[in-house]
Amino acid sequence: MDDIIDARGLMCPLPVLKLGKVLRSTPKGTVVTIWADDPIAVIDIPHFCAQSGNRLISQTEAETHQIYVVEHR
């Protein structure tokens, strides 16, 4: 089962820090889903993926939060 990070209620930079910590502890190829409701996450998470070399598979809006799916590369 893929990892799910619930970062709802956390503000910048905590969602990205939690994502980075999980990715560092998982093997390459692992897919991680992160839920965030910080408005800045729509900028921070894609930027983090681009800078760290991980792949942002998808970014979608739920009713109360965003859902990001990231592959560890």
Side-chain angles (χ1 to χ4, degrees):
M1 180 175 171
D2 295 334
D3 290 306
I4 297 177
I5 303 166
D6 187 352
R8 293 175 293 182
L10 300 178
M11 302 309 275
C12 178
L14 293 176
V16 166
L17 293 175
K18 287 180 78 88
L19 176 59
K21 182 178 180 180
V22 168
L23 290 174
R24 283 190 302 276
S25 68
T26 61
K28 291 186 187 262
T30 300
V31 175
V32 176
T33 300
I34 179 167
W35 302 335
D37 56 4
D38 178 5
I40 301 301
V42 298
I43 297 167
D44 284 351
I45 291 177
H47 181 68
F48 166 78
C49 290
Q51 293 297 311
S52 64
N54 295 294
R55 181 169 76 107
L56 180 61
I57 296 171
S58 67
Q59 175 179 344
T60 57
E61 291 283 331
E63 188 172 321
T64 60
H65 59 282
Q66 303 91 38
I67 302 168
Y68 305 89
V69 180
V70 178
E71 178 187 7
H72 182 202
R73 288 193 162 175

